C-alpha cells in the first residue's frame, strides 16, 4: 500500500506540485484561523491572547440572544435569503434555457456577454449608480417631479428596500449563474435531440424532455449549495446599499455583526458567537437540503 502510494505520488508529482499552492492557501487562511472559534466561549484579554484568555462558557451566546437587534437581523437574513431562493435562483435557469434556444451562435454569445458583464462590476460602483438613479435628487425622481408627481424615497423606504436588493442582485448575478447551466446544456448528447426530432418533438417538447432532465441534477446541486449559504445574506450588497432608515427590513446578521463590533463596541467573544451560530445553521440547512433532494430521487452532494 505504502509503495503503491509512493509510486503514485512520484508518477503524478508535477500535478501534485500544481495543487500545492491551493492546499497551502486553504490550510493557512481557512483551517488554521479556525482556532479563533474558541473566542465564542472566552472573554478576550488582548495581552493574554486567545488561548490564555478565561473561559466564560455560554455567556457570549446568552448575551447575543438577549439583544432584540440580533433577532431583527436574524429574521431579515431569513427573509432576504428565502427571497433570493424564490426569485433569483429560478431566473438563472430560465435565462440559460432562453439563451440556449437562440439559433444564431453570434447572437447567443452576445446575450451571454451582456448578461454576464454586470457580475464584474463591484457593489461599490453599483451602489453609486443606484444612488444617482434612485436617490432623492436622482434621475428617476427628477422625471417624477417634471411629470408633476411627488418624489419618492426609494432608498430610505423600508418597504421598498428588499425589492431593490432582489432586483439589483438579479441584474448583477443572474447572467453569471446561468453560465453553469449553459455549460451543462453544452454537455448534452446531440443524439438525444435528434432522436426527439425524429419522434416529432417540437422545441418546447425537446426542452421539457431532453434539456431540463439533463440539467436537473446540476440545478439540484446548486440549490443545495444556495440553501447551505442561506444565512449569508450578501454582506457586500447590503452594506453598500443600506442606511439607518432601512435597518428594520435590511439589516442582516453580517451587517449587524460588523456594525456592532466596530461601531457599537460589541465584544469579540459575542461577535465570534454570531459567526459560529451562523455557521452551525448553514451546516444544518445544507445537510437538510441534501437529505430532501436525495429523498426526492436526486443524487445530492454526499
Amino acid at each position: 500500500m505504502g509503495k503503491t502510494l509512493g509510486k503514485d505520488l512520484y508518477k503524478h508529482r508535477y500535478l501534485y506540485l500544481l495543487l500545492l499552492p491551493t492546499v497551502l492557501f486553504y490550510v493557512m487562511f481557512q483551517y488554521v484561523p479556525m482556532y479563533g472559534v474558541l473566542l465564542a466561549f472566552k472573554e478576550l484579554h488582548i495581552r493574554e491572547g486567545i488561548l490564555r484568555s478565561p473561559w466564560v462558557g455560554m455567556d457570549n451566546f446568552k448575551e447575543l440572544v438577549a439583544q432584540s437587534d440580533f433577532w431583527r437581523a436574524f429574521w431579515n437574513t431569513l427573509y432576504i435569503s428565502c427571497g433570493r431562493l424564490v426569485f433569483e435562483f429560478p431566473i438563472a435557469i430560465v435565462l440559460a434555457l432562453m439563451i440556449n434556444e437562440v439559433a444564431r451562435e453570434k447572437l447567443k454569445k452576445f446575450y451571454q456577454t451582456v448578461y454576464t458583464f454586470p457580475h464584474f462590476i463591484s457593489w461599490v460602483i453599483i451602489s453609486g449608480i443606484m444612488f444617482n438613479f434612485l436617490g432623492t435628487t436622482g434621475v428617476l425622481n427628477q422625471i417624477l417631479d417634471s411629470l408633476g408627481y411627488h418624489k419618492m424615497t426609494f432608498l430610505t423606504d423600508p418597504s421598498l428596500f428588499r425589492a431593490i436588493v432582489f432586483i439589483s442582485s438579479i441584474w448583477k448575478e443572474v447572467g453569471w449563474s446561468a453560465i453553469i447551466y449553459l455549460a451543462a446544456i453544452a454537455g448534452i448528447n446531440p443524439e438525444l435531440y435528434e432522436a426527439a426530432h425524429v419522434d416529432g418533438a417540437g422545441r418546447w417538447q425537446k426542452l421539457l424532455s431532453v434539456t431540463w432532465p439533463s440539467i436537473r441534477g446540476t440545478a439540484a446541486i446548486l440549490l443545495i449549495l444556495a440553501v447551505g449559504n442561506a444565512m449569508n445574506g450578501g454582506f457586500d450588497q447590503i452594506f453598500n446599499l443600506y442606511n439607518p432608515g432601512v435597518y428594520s427590513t435590511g439589516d442582516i446578521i453580517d451587517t449587524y455583526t460588523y456594525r456592532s463590533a466596530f461601531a457599537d463596541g460589541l465584544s469579540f467573544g459575542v461577535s465570534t458567537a454570531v459567526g459560529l451560530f451562523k455557521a452551525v445553521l448553514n451546516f444544518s440547512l445544507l445537510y437538510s437540503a441534501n437529505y430532501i433532494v436525495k429523498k426526492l430521487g436526486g443524487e445530492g452532494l454526499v
Side-chain angles (χ1 to χ4, degrees):
M1 180 66 183
K3 290 183 178 179
T4 305
L5 179 62
K7 286 182 179 178
D8 184 68
L9 289 173
Y10 182 77
K11 181 180 179 182
H12 302 291
R13 58 189 181 281
Y14 296 116
L15 291 177
Y16 288 118
L17 191 62
L18 288 173
L19 184 64
L20 185 60
T22 305
V23 173
L24 289 176
F25 172 82
Y26 277 97
V27 170
M28 292 177 63
F29 297 105
Q30 299 293 332
Y31 290 100
V32 173
M34 279 187 181
Y35 87 99
V37 171
L38 293 174
L39 271 178
F41 307 97
K42 290 193 168 192
E43 181 183 355
L44 179 65
H45 293 176
I46 299 297
R47 291 184 178 180
E48 298 176 359
I50 295 176
L51 297 179
R52 290 188 296 175
S53 294
W55 294 92
V56 295
M58 301 296 288
D59 287 356
N60 289 327
F61 290 93
K62 292 177 182 176
E63 182 180 347
L64 176 67
V65 298
Q67 297 179 18
S68 59
D69 286 351
F70 167 75
W71 289 111
R72 182 186 64 185
F74 173 79
W75 290 114
N76 284 340
T77 305
L78 276 185
Y79 289 141
I80 290 175
S81 296
C82 289
R84 291 189 193 282
L85 289 175
V86 173
F87 300 119
E88 297 180 23
F89 184 80
I91 291 180
I93 300 174
V94 174
L95 178 64
L97 294 174
M98 291 175 65
I99 291 177
N100 183 59
E101 291 300 314
V102 177
R104 295 175 60 184
E105 197 63 29
K106 288 185 177 179
L107 192 59
K108 184 185 293 186
K109 290 183 178 178
F110 171 76
Y111 285 135
Q112 282 183 247
T113 304
V114 168
Y115 285 114
T116 306
F117 177 73
H119 170 76
F120 299 99
I121 304 175
S122 74
W123 279 114
V124 177
I125 296 174
I126 291 177
S127 65
I129 295 172
M130 294 184 68
F131 280 115
N132 284 321
F133 189 74
L134 299 175
T136 52
T137 58
V139 175
L140 190 55
N141 268 320
Q142 290 184 19
I143 294 174
L144 290 175
D145 188 45
S146 64
L147 294 175
Y149 294 99
H150 293 291
K151 290 185 176 180
M152 294 186 66
T153 54
F154 294 103
L155 297 174
T156 56
D157 188 341
S159 63
L160 296 176
F161 184 75
R162 287 175 186 160
I164 292 173
V165 167
F166 297 143
I167 293 170
S168 59
S169 183
I170 289 171
W171 176 75
K172 185 177 186 297
E173 298 296 347
V174 69
W176 183 255
S177 301
I179 287 178
I180 299 175
Y181 298 107
L182 287 169
I185 292 171
I188 299 174
N189 189 345
E191 292 181 358
L192 295 175
Y193 288 107
E194 293 173 5
H197 180 72
V198 171
D199 290 340
R203 297 180 70 176
W204 177 249
Q205 290 169 320
K206 288 179 185 177
L207 188 150
L208 292 179
S209 59
V210 178
T211 307
W212 170 242
S214 300
I215 66 171
R216 190 169 50 194
T218 303
I221 296 295
L222 292 178
L223 178 62
I224 293 171
L225 294 174
V227 172
N229 199 38
M231 296 311 296
N232 298 321
F235 175 81
D236 287 346
Q237 181 189 17
I238 302 293
F239 183 75
N240 284 290
L241 288 177
Y242 84 156
N243 56 73
V246 296
Y247 280 174
S248 59
T249 57
D251 192 23
I252 60 174
I253 291 179
D254 287 338
T255 54
Y256 162 78
T257 306
Y258 175 85
R259 194 176 63 257
S260 300
F262 294 99
D264 300 338
L266 197 68
S267 72
F268 286 107
V270 178
S271 301
T272 309
V274 175
L276 184 58
F277 175 81
K278 198 177 70 170
V280 171
L281 275 182
N282 272 336
F283 176 78
S284 303
L285 290 171
L286 176 69
Y287 187 83
S288 302
N290 184 71
Y291 178 79
I292 293 171
V293 167
K294 293 179 76 172
K295 279 292 181 184
L296 293 175
E299 295 183 357
L301 285 175
V302 291

